[in-house]
Amino acid sequence: MKSCLAFLKQHVLPALVCFGLALALAQMDSFQRFENVTFDARARLRTRYFPTNPRDDVVLVGIDQDSLNQFGRWPWKRTVHGDFVQLAGRLKPSAIAFDLLFDDADENDARFAASITRSQTAVVLASEPAGPEGGIKPGSDALKKLRLEPLPHVVGDRSAIDDDGAMSLPLAPLGEVADLAFATVPRAEDGVLREAPIVLRYGDQVYPSLSLRSLMHHWHVTPDDVQVRLGDAVVIKNDFVNHRIPIDASGKYLINYRHTLEGFNSAGFSESFNFLKAKYVEKKDVPLPEFTGRILLVGQIADGLSDFGATPLASHTPGVLVHANVLENVLNGDFARRAAAWPIWLGGFAITAASLALFAQRKFWQQIAFAIGVPVIFSLVTMLAWKTLSLWVPVVWPTLGFAGAQIFRAVRIINPLAASSLASFLRLI
């Protein structure tokens, strides 16, 4: 009995205390920032050294420097966007989604709207929070004519979904001929874009994000075919498609970043515009961009424009790249997941308690090798889990718990040695 109690006191209790404290620290927001750094590093390493092939049914149409050189300073006349929609519509893309804001009235809105109508193509325009001073509030009469369709089937607590109040929306006539969807991507406390809302709340209703609305057109599904289960998934199902997008209780989705801008199936705005114009207006025999049946995602990628932010891949990333990664994740069924804490805690606790017992009488170099080797191997395992399974396994707090126990073991070894040395010194005196 005494030997059992001694074992618990010397080996189990220290491991329990160290891992308990480490897990408690992991709940702090300031501590989570350290964990986020390790996640971002894994995302960059995988993108750089283990790239995947991009999908060909998502085309990122970038407003790049060549486009600015051709059409002038930003913002452009809306007739430019209208002409692009009308020309690209000849190739029958499944949807043209603009990650651009057309919320202020413009003298060319009527021509832009007419071009959308003539294109006979599904066009999705972005909407974003307006801030406390402006925008359109839920229930406003201005919303009655706009194509802003809520999702009727929502299970769970809607109040958990972010609601930014007033929104900046494209008004009539644009909002009458194009579908409206929310392009909001909130930043984490450290300013990095790691999660994207799949659904958002506007007043009492729940609406699709820009990515989800584009996918609905791509799959030819209606809002009635979409069920939102907060804390579980967005399920898109009819007689022809069956897809599931995991979301948390607030409707957000952990983005599984696979590609930088260079890794996507992309085309410059001006380059595409020029080929389309040469073919359909000037009647020249030129190659056409491969737009048929694809989602065209139009957004800013030129340095100096406003729609940039920090992502795990880089501190200066085009916002349209976030939506492009989400679209590709969903189309591939390639979803990122967070590992549950309890198996990691249980496994780390067991390994640590065993190390305190088994290595107590080992040689010093063996103890050092074990204390260094376990965190190194664990870090490699977490990288492998992210590479192969897109599983986000925490690194910092398990390593901290293990390191705390090893420090305890070292102090326990050093104390008797110090006491013995002191006794020998006193006898010499």
Side-chain angles (χ1 to χ4, degrees):
M1 184 66 180
K2 289 183 179 181
S3 61
C4 182
L5 289 175
F7 179 85
L8 293 174
K9 181 179 178 181
Q10 293 178 21
H11 308 307
V12 176
L13 183 59
L16 184 64
V17 170
C18 290
F19 266 81
L21 287 174
L23 185 58
L25 287 172
Q27 311 311 310
M28 300 170 58
D29 291 339
S30 57
F31 195 87
Q32 183 61 37
R33 294 193 177 194
F34 294 103
E35 196 63 66
N36 289 338
V37 170
T38 71
F39 171 75
D40 296 349
R42 279 173 273 179
R44 288 191 298 272
L45 287 171
R46 186 180 67 175
T47 301
R48 181 174 180 179
Y49 295 108
F50 307 102
T52 56
N53 294 324
R55 292 188 66 93
D56 61 5
D57 50 1
V58 177
V59 182
L60 197 164
V61 181
I63 298 172
D64 53 12
Q65 190 58 53
D66 289 342
S67 303
L68 296 177
N69 293 340
Q70 177 172 336
F71 295 109
R73 293 180 57 187
W74 189 262
W76 296 333
K77 290 182 179 181
R78 293 186 183 173
T79 52
V80 173
H81 303 292
D83 290 345
F84 175 80
V85 168
Q86 195 167 340
L87 288 168
R90 300 285 295 271
L91 295 177
K92 303 300 180 185
S94 60
I96 303 176
F98 283 88
D99 186 25
L100 306 170
L101 204 57
F102 302 106
D103 60 328
D104 56 326
D106 185 273
E107 61 182 358
N108 293 308
D109 278 350
R111 291 180 61 185
F112 188 7
S115 295
I116 292 173
T117 302
R118 284 194 292 268
S119 74
Q120 298 183 337
T121 301
V123 175
V124 184
L125 301 181
S127 306
E128 291 186 349
E133 301 299 327
I136 302 174
K137 292 181 171 53
S140 171
D141 290 338
L143 297 173
K144 293 180 179 179
K145 295 182 178 181
L146 303 184
R147 294 176 59 173
L148 184 65
E149 294 185 82
L151 300 173
H153 307 297
V154 180
V155 179
D157 182 10
R158 297 187 181 204
S159 65
I161 305 174
D162 292 340
D163 180 10
D164 295 298
M167 301 295 291
S168 293
L169 299 162
L171 300 178
L174 292 179
E176 294 177 329
V177 297
D179 288 322
L180 307 184
F182 297 114
T184 308
V185 181
R187 289 170 168 78
E189 288 189 1
D190 58 2
V192 179
L193 303 169
R194 297 187 185 88
E195 294 181 320
I198 295 297
V199 295
L200 298 97
R201 184 164 58 92
Y202 183 40
D204 295 329
Q205 300 293 332
V206 175
Y207 295 89
S209 67
L210 183 75
S211 300
L212 179 56
R213 197 71 185 89
S214 302
L215 288 164
M216 289 168 65
H217 282 300
H218 186 66
W219 291 324
H220 305 287
V221 301
T222 67
D224 206 46
D225 297 323
V226 180
Q227 185 177 63
V228 180
R229 303 171 185 169
L230 296 174
D232 179 25
V234 172
V235 179
I236 304 164
K237 186 176 181 179
N238 61 18
D239 292 338
F240 305 101
V241 299
N242 187 357
H243 297 277
R244 184 179 182 278
I245 308 170
I247 57 172
D248 63 15
S250 65
K252 294 188 182 70
Y253 162 84
L254 179 62
I255 305 168
N256 194 14
Y257 285 101
R258 286 288 186 179
H259 299 295
T260 60
L261 186 61
E262 292 74 18
F264 268 105
N265 180 21
S266 61
F269 185 96
S270 61
E271 180 186 29
S272 302
F273 186 98
N274 292 338
F275 277 121
L276 291 166
K277 183 180 178 181
K279 177 69 175 180
Y280 295 116
V281 178
E282 300 168 359
K283 306 301 182 181
K284 294 180 179 178
D285 185 16
V286 295
L288 287 172
E290 296 183 359
F291 286 173
T292 304
R294 292 161 167 81
I295 299 172
L296 308 187
L297 184 60
V298 184
Q300 302 173 351
I301 64 172
D303 288 336
L305 297 179
S306 59
D307 190 19
F308 280 74
T311 67
L313 303 184
S315 60
H316 190 66
T317 303
V320 68
L321 193 67
V322 176
H323 300 291
N325 273 281
V326 172
L327 286 171
E328 187 168 275
N329 289 170
V330 176
L331 288 166
N332 284 331
D334 181 25
F335 302 119
R337 297 172 295 136
R338 289 182 172 90
W342 70 264
I344 301 168
W345 188 93
L346 191 62
F349 162 73
I351 291 173
T352 302
S355 72
L356 293 177
L358 297 177
F359 278 80
Q361 306 301 323
R362 298 278 182 170
K363 294 180 180 179
F364 182 71
W365 70 266
Q366 293 176 320
Q367 297 182 32
I368 293 296
F370 182 81
I372 295 174
V374 168
V376 170
I377 293 172
F378 179 67
S379 297
L380 293 175
V381 168
T382 62
M383 183 64 217
L384 183 63
W386 179 247
K387 173 189 174 294
T388 58
L389 304 174
S390 295
L391 184 65
W392 182 0
V393 179
V395 172
V396 177
W397 72 259
T399 303
L400 184 63
F402 180 80
Q406 303 312 306
I407 292 172
F408 170 82
R409 179 167 57 82
V411 170
R412 190 167 61 186
I413 294 170
I414 291 170
N415 274 344
L417 292 175
S420 176
S421 298
L422 179 60
S424 299
F425 177 74
L426 290 175
R427 282 196 297 269
L428 289 173
I429 296 175

